[in-house]
């Protein structure tokens, strides 16, 4: 945990849940786990405020609780990674929109907004945001919700159960071992219709709550990164080949394993022939596999069955992380600095005099850039002393430069958290300063839409639009452009954080 991550979590929570919840999150972030009484004492909030804040955070799976060692009370801990994932919610919705359509995206958006909720509530609530309002729409939403569960994008929330406390009292714990966490309960359309119309009805699934299964989304994001990397490095056919390899890997291996179980070339060919119409990829499948093997994306396991290969996910993300680091160096310090960094990475340990020769950079530039990279923690230095004997004088020291990838990744994560915090802060500032102008523009747009529906003349509509003066239009255009740029920056930074975090996970 870091200062920058703490500031980012604080800003995100304040933006989405308010000042009181932010105070509780700040207090939990500063400790590993705390009891309710400790939180009340350290935050200065009332018991009611702390309990409500914890209830909200538990509902959105950002805080967990467990019995203390004496089993007499509960301790609460913050899941700070889940707090940062709030920024990823639009990507989750976009993925569902792309794969399953608009209705599924509406269901996912409502579940993300609710945190933990029953299927019947989500379906009825989603009826407000879809086109149709009849029984067929309810049936469609029910089927779409079932499909999301079958595809593992949503999962049953842990169920509370009674357990024995330390002083003989009964305590409550969450049971995570649900036999079939993706099993959908039976939902009667008549009951759903009654709920939609506001009639009293007994909800059949009131004890079955659902949450978004972020792990499945992250598997999809990870696979997309690998497929895109192959497409850029080789071509689209190789990317398609990698997609089918990852499908076979998912069927045979734990999805988060660093190296997959062996996959026979014969099985891959059969999968490609069954699923793909790409004749060129099928014709040159062996060559594509060979090229991926030469780049260490695949490793040959055995020669039987036409050859068996394993997907080396850990190695892939090591290479992608190196590429990310080098791109950052190129952007910040130029191509010469990237060349120096690459030389030191390949040689492992290099003296200052050898850097300029190997990188073919003038001595003055090589020294300047090397020490600049050292200052910014992209390089590390190791000192070796050669012992002197007798009157030989002072012992001679050798200074060798080297690269520590894990340390660079940690530093870049810190910078990414700081950049995200600055981006959100700037976005909030721009919206606050120009709040009156933005609201005026939104009111005008609403009025114009209503006028168009009524069939008003263009001259009258233009007259209404002219109430926004040219200077105001110019300011509004600048604000919209800046907001759009900051949103794009947030998405790009989050993608970098996701990849760097994956690298760290695979190094454990």
């Amino acid at each position: 945990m870091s200062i920058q991550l703490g500031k980012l979590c604080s800003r995100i929570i304040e933006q989405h849940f308010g000042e009181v919840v932010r105070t509780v999150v700040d207090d939990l972030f500063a400790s590993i786990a705390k009891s309710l009484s400790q939180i009340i004492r350290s935050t200065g909030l009332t018991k009611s405020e702390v309990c409500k804040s914890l209830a909200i955070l538990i509902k959105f799976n950002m805080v967990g609780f467990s019995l203390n060692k004496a089993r007499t009370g509960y301790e609460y801990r913050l899941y700070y990674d889940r707090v940062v994932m709030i920024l990823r919610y639009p990507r989750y919705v976009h993925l569902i929109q792309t794969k399953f359509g608009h209705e599924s995206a509406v269901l996912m958006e409502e579940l993300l907004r609710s945190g933990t909720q029953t299927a019947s509530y989500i379906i009825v609530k989603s009826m407000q945001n879809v086109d149709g309002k009849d029984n067929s729409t309810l049936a469609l939403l029910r089927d779409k919700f079932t499909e999301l569960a079958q595809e593992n994008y949503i999962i049953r929330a842990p169920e509370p159960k009674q357990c024995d406390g330390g002083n003989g009292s009964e305590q409550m714990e969450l049971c995570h071992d649900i036999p079939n966490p993706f099993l959908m309960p039976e939902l009667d359309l008549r009951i759903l219709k009654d709920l939609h119309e506001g009639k009293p009805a007994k909800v059949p699934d009131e004890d079955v709550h659902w949450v978004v299964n972020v792990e499945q989304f992250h598997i999809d994001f990870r696979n997309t990164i690998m497929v895109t990397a192959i497409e850029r490095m080789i071509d689209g056919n190789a990317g398609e080949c990698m997609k089918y390899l990852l499908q076979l890997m998912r069927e045979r291996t734990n999805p988060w394993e660093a190296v997959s179980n062996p996959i026979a070339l014969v099985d891959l060919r059969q999968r490609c022939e069954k699923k793909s119409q790409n004749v060129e990829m099928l014709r040159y499948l062996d060559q594509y596999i060979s090229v991926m093997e030469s780049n260490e994306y695949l490793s040959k396991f055995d020669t039987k069955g036409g050859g068996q290969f394993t997907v080396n996910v850990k190695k892939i993300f090591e290479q992608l992380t190196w590429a990310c680091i080098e791109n950052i160096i190129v952007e910040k310090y130029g191509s010469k600095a990237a060349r120096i960094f690459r030389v030191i990475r390949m040689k492992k340990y290099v003296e200052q005099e050898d850097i300029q020769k190997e990188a073919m950079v003038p001595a003055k530039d090589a020294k300047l850039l090397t020490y600049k990279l050292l200052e910014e923690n992209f390089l590390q230095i190791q000192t070796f002393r050669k012992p002197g004997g007798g009157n030989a004088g002072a012992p001679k020291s050798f200074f060798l430069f080297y690269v520590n990838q894990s340390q660079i990744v940690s530093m870049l994560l810190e910078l990414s958290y700081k950049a995200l915090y600055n981006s959100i802060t700037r976005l909030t500032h721009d919206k606050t300063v120009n709040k009156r102008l933005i609201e005026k523009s939104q009111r005008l747009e609403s009025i114009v839409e209503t006028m168009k529906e009524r069939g008003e003349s263009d001259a009258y509509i233009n007259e209404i639009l002219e109430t926004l003066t040219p200077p105001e239009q110019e300011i509004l255009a600048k604000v919209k452009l800046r907001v759009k740029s900051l949103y794009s920056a947030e998405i790009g930074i989050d993608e970098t954080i996701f990849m760097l975090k994956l690298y760290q996970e695979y190094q454990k």
Side-chain angles (χ1 to χ4, degrees), residues 218-284:
H218 292 169
I219 289 168
D220 282 6
F221 292 159
R222 180 204 64 182
N223 292 351
T224 302
I225 288 172
M226 290 194 284
V227 170
T228 306
I230 291 288
E231 286 176 352
R232 287 177 178 174
M233 188 173 65
I234 308 171
D235 63 11
N237 294 334
E240 189 177 352
C241 174
M242 187 67 178
K243 184 177 77 173
Y244 294 125
L245 264 171
L246 292 171
Q247 287 178 8
L248 289 167
M249 172 186 165
R250 180 67 193 273
E251 293 167 10
R252 303 167 187 219
T253 316
N254 182 317
W256 292 110
E257 284 293 324
V259 180
S260 73
N261 290 332
I263 299 168
L265 185 60
V266 174
D267 293 341
L268 176 62
R269 189 178 293 280
Q270 286 174 353
R271 176 62 62 92
C272 293
E273 288 172 351
K274 184 179 177 183
K275 295 284 185 89
S276 176
Q277 304 294 324
N278 192 334
V279 178
E280 189 178 356
M281 183 198 69
L282 292 168
R283 185 185 303 164
Y284 299 109

Side-chain angles (χ1 to χ4, degrees), residues 35 41 47 225 227 384 496:
S35 65
R41 193 162 49 247
K47 183 178 179 180
I225 288 172
V227 170
F384 293 95
T496 303

